[in-house]
Amino acid sequence: MAADIRPKRPFRWHIAIFLAPAVLVYTAIMILPLAGTLQLSLFRNIEQHQVFVGLENFRMLFGDPNWSVGFWNALRNNVWFFIIHMIVQNPIGVMLAALLSSPKLRFAAFYRTAIFVPTILSFVIVGFAWKLILSPLWGVAPHLMDLVGLKSLFTPWLGKEQYALTALSLISVWQFVGIPMMLIYAALLSIPEEVIEAAECDGITGLSQFWKIKLPLILPSIGIISILTFVGNFNAFDLIYTAQGALAGPNYSTDILGTFLYRAFFGFQLQTGDPNMGAAIATMMFLIILGGVCVYLFLVQTRLRRYQF
């Protein structure tokens, strides 16, 4: 009987000690503010007192024209902002990674660095620089297009409602295309040489090798990049604010959830800030992002696991 009794495993205190600083910092910076925001969204300031109103703030956000029109407009714009990144940024990132991973390409390190450099630039610099470039008065874009005979196609893209959001989305794509490129590049380098050699022995080379061998193997990495793009785009704020201001002009055509939250929470010009409604908008942003991540984890990631080694 004594031989059947297994000794208790000692508690590994060193794990708790090493994890404690990170857990405390994450809790103080992320968990507590999130809980405070969720709590604030359930209250309303009535006669200088915070009164619990339940889901009334969300009812106003969805049903009151003073709030719902701006919210649905910002949500539509945010979805379009995300779609542009998905159909332009990520495919270009995959294509660049495939090209740069070719052993026959010369100066590949220089190209990788040049493409990745805009990623580390400040949003203020990027927004201000592109406003100067695309300005119809003193920008260089009209003159450059004139040199190639395309000046007739130039229009003040940032000043027209139908073009402004798409133009800003493409500027964001230019700035951040280096991130999916580097992640896919790393995934391509992690493919075992034995797999590539076996494909070459079967006569699969060039573009056919990428589509039939490499692409299925990097699908999990593409999935991770897609969900990172989703989270980043629905948290976007800086570029729109820098280029178009808090009003996200012209006529709120570039307004996304981040700028809508900013005006609601802090107020802007004649609009008085309402922290409770701002917290309700922030809560909706959190729920949208949480829903997208859950859909990816439970519906997409489980199907992509079969491609992993």
Side-chain angles (χ1 to χ4, degrees):
M1 295 295 294
D4 295 335
I5 299 176
R6 297 181 180 178
K8 294 183 179 181
R9 293 183 178 180
F11 184 77
R12 299 179 180 179
W13 290 101
H14 64 282
I15 297 178
I17 293 174
F18 282 114
L19 288 179
V23 171
L24 292 175
V25 171
Y26 186 80
T27 301
I29 296 178
M30 299 295 296
I31 303 299
L32 293 180
L34 175 60
T37 300
L38 297 177
Q39 180 184 7
L40 189 62
S41 67
L42 303 177
F43 287 78
R44 184 178 298 169
N45 192 354
I46 300 177
E47 297 181 355
Q48 305 301 320
H49 296 284
Q50 289 290 321
V51 179
F52 179 78
V53 295
L55 300 178
E56 182 64 20
N57 291 331
F58 297 95
R59 187 197 66 79
M60 290 182 58
L61 185 62
F62 297 138
D64 189 342
N66 293 327
W67 292 98
S68 62
V69 173
F71 174 75
W72 293 116
N73 174 65
L75 181 58
R76 285 193 300 269
N77 290 340
N78 224 146
V79 171
W80 179 244
F81 192 75
F82 166 67
I83 291 174
I84 291 294
H85 283 76
M86 283 296 295
I87 65 177
V88 179
Q89 174 184 279
N90 292 347
I92 291 178
V94 173
M95 179 188 69
L96 291 174
L99 292 175
L100 294 175
S101 63
S102 174
K104 299 180 181 180
L105 181 66
R106 300 179 61 187
F107 308 111
F110 170 78
Y111 297 140
R112 289 198 306 270
T113 303
I115 295 172
F116 191 78
V117 162
T119 304
I120 63 177
L121 295 178
S122 167
F123 285 99
V124 177
I125 295 175
V126 172
F128 184 72
W130 277 100
K131 284 191 70 174
L132 291 178
I133 292 172
L134 299 178
S135 172
L137 298 178
W138 53 76
V140 298
H143 303 289
L144 293 177
M145 295 182 70
D146 189 26
L147 292 176
V148 295
L150 298 176
K151 188 176 182 179
S152 59
L153 300 178
F154 177 80
T155 186
W157 288 292
L158 295 180
K160 291 190 175 182
E161 295 182 23
Q162 62 269 37
Y163 301 128
L165 183 61
T166 302
L168 287 172
S169 301
L170 295 177
I171 292 173
S172 180
V173 166
W174 167 83
Q175 183 179 8
F176 290 109
V177 72
I179 293 178
M181 178 199 71
M182 293 302 294
L183 293 176
I184 296 298
Y185 178 78
L188 289 172
L189 293 183
S190 67
I191 297 176
E193 289 294 333
E194 295 82 1
V195 176
I196 305 301
E197 292 174 359
E200 292 176 349
C201 291
D202 291 337
I204 305 175
T205 58
L207 189 61
S208 177
Q209 183 183 99
F210 175 79
W211 285 107
K212 295 180 179 180
I213 305 299
K214 295 182 178 180
L215 184 60
L217 295 176
I218 64 173
L219 280 180
S221 298
I222 295 177
I224 293 295
I225 292 170
S226 299
I227 198 62
L228 290 177
T229 303
F230 175 80
V231 174
N233 289 164
F234 276 88
N235 275 322
F237 167 76
D238 310 73
L239 181 62
I240 305 295
Y241 181 80
T242 301
Q244 302 296 85
L247 291 178
N251 194 26
Y252 301 106
S253 61
T254 59
D255 195 20
I256 58 177
L257 292 174
T259 51
F260 184 60
L261 165 64
Y262 176 86
R263 294 196 309 274
F265 197 100
F266 297 103
F268 189 76
Q269 293 183 352
L270 299 179
Q271 179 179 347
T272 304
D274 188 340
N276 300 107
M277 289 302 298
I281 298 170
T283 301
M284 288 307 306
M285 293 174 63
F286 168 73
L287 293 177
I288 290 171
I289 294 173
L290 179 63
V293 172
C294 290
V295 168
Y296 167 78
L297 291 178
F298 294 108
L299 297 182
V300 179
Q301 182 66 15
T302 53
R303 297 184 179 182
L304 293 178
R305 286 176 183 170
R306 65 177 181 267
Y307 293 107
Q308 294 178 336
F309 295 107

